[in-house]
Amino acid sequence: MAKKKEPTATPHRVMVIDTNRCVGCWTCAVACKEVNNEPLGFWWNRILTTAPNESTAAAAPASENIDVPRGEYPNLEMAYLPVACQHCTDAPCVKVCPVQATFRRDDGTILVDYERCIGCRYCMAACPYGVRIFNWGDASYAPGGTVGYGADYRSDGRLVFTPERPKGVVEKCTFCVERIDVGQQPFCVESCPVGARVFGDIDDPGSEVSQLVNEGGAVQLHPELGTGPNVYYVPVRKRVPRES
Amino acid sequence: MATDTATVALPARGARPSISRIGLWYAALALLGALGLAAWVYELRTGLAATGMRDVVSWGMYIFTFAFFIGLSAGGLIMASSAEVFGIAALRPLSRLGVLSAAACVAVAGLMIIPDLGRPDRILNLFVHPNWTSPLIWDILIISVYFVFSVVDLAVLQRHATAGARWHRRMQVLAYVGLPTAVLLHSITAWIFGLQIARAWWNTALMAPLFVVSAILSGTALVTLLALAAHRWGGLTLADDTRRWLRGLIAVSLIVDLFFVGCDYITVLWGNVPADRSALDLVLPGGPWSWTFWVEWVAGGVVPLALLLVPRLRRLPGSLGVAAALAVVGVFAFRIELVVIGFVNPLTQYPPGNALGTYDRGTSSFELTGRYSPTWVEFAIVAGLVALFAAIVTVGYRRLRLRGAGTAADGPDRAGVRS
Ligand code: SF4
Ligand code: SF4
Ligand code: SF4
């Protein structure tokens, strides 16, 4: 799949996360942090503890802490919602960025140009999913030196990744452009121990992602906002609660 | 023509502040300015980590003070323009002071964005790579237009005041351009927030009208305060008629302002949509940010209204000044509430919330409900810019007056034209 040099077909890249499978282990979040050398305090990808199939902020959280189920024993429910950039089709962050530092590639990936961003943080105010991270000061990294990609990466000539973060710019999930541009899967997809994450071309009817979206009932987060995310979630198939 | 100055007696020479007092004033402003500059240098070296902002509350004092100053800039221009467009002679004497404060406010508002940028060195990207779907670009455009307009308008008013009739037409034309420009400035600034679907607290069509009316309110109140200060220290005489108009303008815009905010509250409370409700609950009595509610509705709402409208209170000396000051404070509280609550109210109600973007040993890197309190760096920079505003107004006021007083023809002409 992915990027072969066919002049006509640019893939339309989509990620599907099966919330029936996710066990909330944070492997994907930590793998993401590693491969992108994210500074301390940065999480491009995070795993929210929710009740099943709650994709809107409908209710106050059961707790400020993760892994706390909702409800009264024995009628407890809990599910996980891994959230990173949704790579929106009509992305508010792209619309508000005053200098076109945040931009959309033809394959639907939303990227930030580290060399153009002026650090106004309007995109952070505009993103409904809270996935953008700002470089507030000099980044501090976990000991042991640079991990992961370890090199600058340019897409359309624009600097969309650099291992040592410049102060004062915004960053976020890149769908692992370094990997998808050479036909690999994003690292979170690769690292998930239970195969909850699937990545592919939704324009290819045979791909697993189009099956999951078109037949598997995968849904978007906050579809009512019209942002048209390219990350989908397969809803939890709830079991009928047992009578106690 | 120049009924203009009929109600403003020229400053008697002796009434102008003595050199030493004005010297002290300038010294204080210079000190504040220097502190602000030093704080900015510190912020440039440390990065915005020097501020109280983090990834959850990612805009703070700079932005709400920016929005506040944009609002303040309304009063003068709208007052000067209304004086012409609606023929309110009583407001004419304040035209120049008003437009001067408008220019100063909008300049300071524009500058206020710069310390908020993570990369101020790249500010030219705004002109090299503008993105026309971004309200911010339009805002920068209208801020520039408004600033240039105010300066031109001030120059024309000044000519008109000193050289008279020849400039009258130009002044009137500018007055007609001024009103829509001011309305546009406040609307576009409001749309920075109001168009954002992400934040329920901001996403209302009411935002632009609310900004326009609160701008008229705070702007008129500011010009009132400046006029009272000039009356006290700068030798400007405020006629009763002018005071009556100021009182009326503040009262009416305050009522409309509270009405708009009230409409928003009713819509949220009745609808009870969780995302809207959780934001409003932060503000209503009992919520962690309820002080903004009290300042807005009581200290900056009911109290100034009573001072302006209840006959017995209205006659108290200083009631207009106190009411104007309270109204300004109320609008400032509204700006704080608007910007900060938009961020504090969590985008997602699920733990662990959003990453903060900085790491402090022993504390979580995540935050569910946002917290924000400005640091000394933010206070110092904002204070420095407020000092800049005060300096522009003082220098402008004195220079324009001095020039006026210096013209031989001016004195008799101005004093004589009372009809
Ligand atoms: S999730 Fe946020 S950052 Fe990602 S594309 Fe959508 S609006 Fe932009
Ligand atoms: S912070 Fe950077 S990417 Fe975000 S809107 Fe501003 S310039 Fe664009
Ligand atoms: S690695 Fe897989 S199972 Fe673990 S949190 Fe991420 S998506 Fe869920």
Side-chain angles (χ1 to χ4, degrees), chain A residues 26 40-43 45-51 54-67 70 81 92 94-100 113-122 124-138 140 166-169 222 225-227, chain B residues 43-51 53-60 62-63 116-120 122-127 129-137 140 191-193 195-199 202 274-275 343 346-359 365-366 368-369:
Chain A
W26 286 70
L40 298 178
F42 283 45
W43 293 90
N45 183 8
R46 66 205 200 279
I47 321 305
L48 305 177
T49 303
T50 73
E54 280 187 357
S55 72
T56 54
S63 159
E64 296 263 315
N65 298 316
I66 59 171
D67 297 340
R70 192 167 293 190
L81 194 67
V94 173
K95 284 201 276 191
V96 299
C97 178
V99 296
Q100 303 174 357
D113 183 340
Y114 286 53
E115 288 172 325
R116 188 180 291 179
C117 171
I118 59 170
C120 65
R121 308 187 302 296
Y122 197 3
M124 302 180 75
C127 168
Y129 307 95
V131 300
R132 293 182 154 249
I133 316 267
F134 186 66
N135 284 277
W136 294 98
D138 288 317
S140 51
K167 202 160 58 183
V169 300
H222 289 306
L225 296 179
T227 49
Chain B
E43 185 191 277
L44 284 176
R45 300 175 61 113
T46 324
L48 289 173
T51 70
M53 298 181 278
R54 289 297 180 267
D55 279 348
V56 177
V57 181
S58 51
W59 274 349
Y62 300 133
I63 296 293
D116 190 59
L117 296 181
R119 297 302 296 249
R122 295 180 182 166
I123 196 164
L124 288 181
N125 283 357
L126 289 169
F127 306 100
H129 308 288
N131 176 11
W132 295 104
T133 56
S134 173
L136 207 59
I137 285 290
I140 286 162
W191 289 330
I192 291 182
F193 305 99
L195 298 183
Q196 298 317 317
I197 50 164
R199 316 246 168 205
W202 293 349
F343 289 99
L347 282 173
T348 141
Q349 299 274 5
Y350 305 121
N354 289 6
L356 278 172
T358 51
Y359 169 75
S365 310
F366 292 95
L368 191 55
T369 300

Side-chain angles (χ1 to χ4, degrees), chain B residues 132-188:
Chain B
W132 295 104
T133 56
S134 173
L136 207 59
I137 285 290
W138 289 95
D139 209 43
I140 286 162
L141 190 70
I142 189 79
I143 286 173
S144 317
V145 167
Y146 192 84
F147 177 69
V148 171
F149 178 86
S150 322
V151 172
V152 171
D153 197 22
L154 188 58
V156 168
L157 284 170
Q158 184 68 10
R159 290 275 153 70
H160 177 251
T162 51
R166 264 189 320 121
W167 292 86
H168 193 67
R169 263 222 72 70
R170 264 169 266 197
M171 183 180 81
Q172 283 196 314
V173 171
L174 283 181
Y176 279 90
V177 182
L179 278 182
T181 314
V183 169
L184 211 54
L185 173 72
H186 303 296
S187 302
I188 295 177

